[in-house]
Amino acid sequence: MGMTGLLQKSLCAIALSLVVVSAGNAGTLVEPTLHLTPQGGGGRVALTLDACGGKTDTRILSALVENKIPATIFVTGIWLKRNAAAVGIMRAHPDLFELENHGGRHIPAVDTPRKIYGISSAGSPDAVQAEVESGAAALASAGGPPPKWFRGATAEYSPSAIAMIRKLGFKVAGFSVNGDGGSLLGATETARRIAAAKDGDVIIAHINQPTHAAGEGVVQGLLALKQKGLTFVRLDDADDVGNDGTTD
């Protein structure tokens, strides 16, 4: 092979590597974190609960009301339609519950076609926008203040989708403590994870799986934190710092 052939071969190899790198970057998803700004004292944590679909875990809801533990609830349009009684309880306690946007149909906010944890992504910028806006519209129909936060299904995003969600006027809610592993962990491990939360942590768990053992662990972990003297705050009631351009 002559010099010209070697040069062409090397240029092709470089071009191919650039394509691979570009494709890899385009496909990179992020799972943003979110923390509260430290404020001293006994410490503060934010409890965020996802209501993806299905029913309501009344073990958790009752414990929050009885123990006066504030929480930010991320609700989908699907869940709102099926859980009017639970929504009524939350609306009756505006001092405790802040309802935020979890999307219209629980579709991951990823603007390229792929699957995340087995769930098909929105797949295009228009579909991401539709998921965000339909979730906000469902909350508006259910009454109460308009949402300021969005959390997508699976809590994973394409960076370009995050930028779009911010332009639509929403902060993107990450977290720092995965309390229940998507509601798939047992009660003991869920309780251990939540009870280990520290000042500034944002906890994620689920309030839509009443038959899962994780719900019992959520209650145990929250009561342990309360006993330690930590204060619970909602996302709107605290200064929050998220990475990946989610809150700035």
Side-chain angles (χ1 to χ4, degrees):
M1 182 181 293
M3 287 298 294
T4 303
L6 283 172
L7 181 60
Q8 287 178 336
K9 186 175 181 181
S10 64
L11 287 173
C12 285
I14 291 169
L16 180 61
S17 68
L18 288 173
V19 168
V20 170
V21 169
S22 175
N25 288 341
T28 300
L29 301 184
V30 295
E31 186 178 274
T33 60
L34 183 67
H35 289 86
L36 309 179
T37 304
Q39 201 178 41
R44 302 181 308 163
V45 295
L47 171 65
T48 68
L49 295 169
D50 289 0
C52 311
K55 299 182 180 180
T56 303
D57 192 332
T58 54
R59 296 170 297 182
I60 299 174
L61 183 56
S62 297
L64 297 178
V65 173
E66 291 167 10
N67 293 278
K68 294 182 170 55
I69 295 175
T72 303
I73 316 293
F74 283 89
V75 299
T76 65
I78 298 168
W79 185 87
L80 283 170
K81 286 180 182 177
R82 300 173 181 169
N83 293 272
V87 174
I89 291 170
M90 293 174 185
R91 292 297 194 207
H93 294 85
D95 55 324
L96 297 181
F97 299 108
E98 170 189 334
L99 272 61
E100 297 290 353
N101 185 357
H102 196 32
R105 297 189 294 140
H106 199 250
I107 298 171
V110 174
D111 52 16
T112 54
R114 62 190 299 165
K115 288 200 172 182
I116 304 102
Y117 302 119
I119 303 176
S120 295
S121 67
S124 70
D126 285 348
V128 171
Q129 182 170 343
E131 171 71 357
V132 176
E133 292 183 336
S134 62
L139 269 166
S141 297
K148 300 175 184 175
W149 290 84
F150 176 83
R151 174 180 285 155
T154 76
E156 295 202 9
Y157 310 81
S158 49
S160 47
I162 289 175
M164 174 189 291
I165 295 163
R166 296 291 288 123
K167 284 181 181 177
L168 291 172
F170 297 94
K171 292 181 179 181
V172 178
F175 57 91
S176 61
V177 173
N178 186 339
D180 64 357
S183 193
L184 298 177
L185 295 176
T188 301
E189 175 62 13
T190 298
R192 185 195 68 77
R193 289 189 179 195
I194 292 176
K198 302 286 195 302
D199 180 31
D201 273 330
V202 175
I203 302 163
I204 185 176
H206 292 75
I207 194 169
N208 67 305
Q209 296 288 358
T211 64
H212 291 193
E216 179 186 340
V218 170
V219 173
Q220 292 171 354
L222 295 175
L223 294 181
L225 287 176
K226 186 178 181 184
Q227 192 168 18
K228 288 180 186 177
L230 271 79
T231 300
F232 293 91
V233 297
R234 302 173 303 183
L235 292 186
D236 264 359
D237 298 330
D239 293 325
D240 321 88
V241 179
N243 64 354
D244 296 311
T246 52
T247 63
D248 54 9

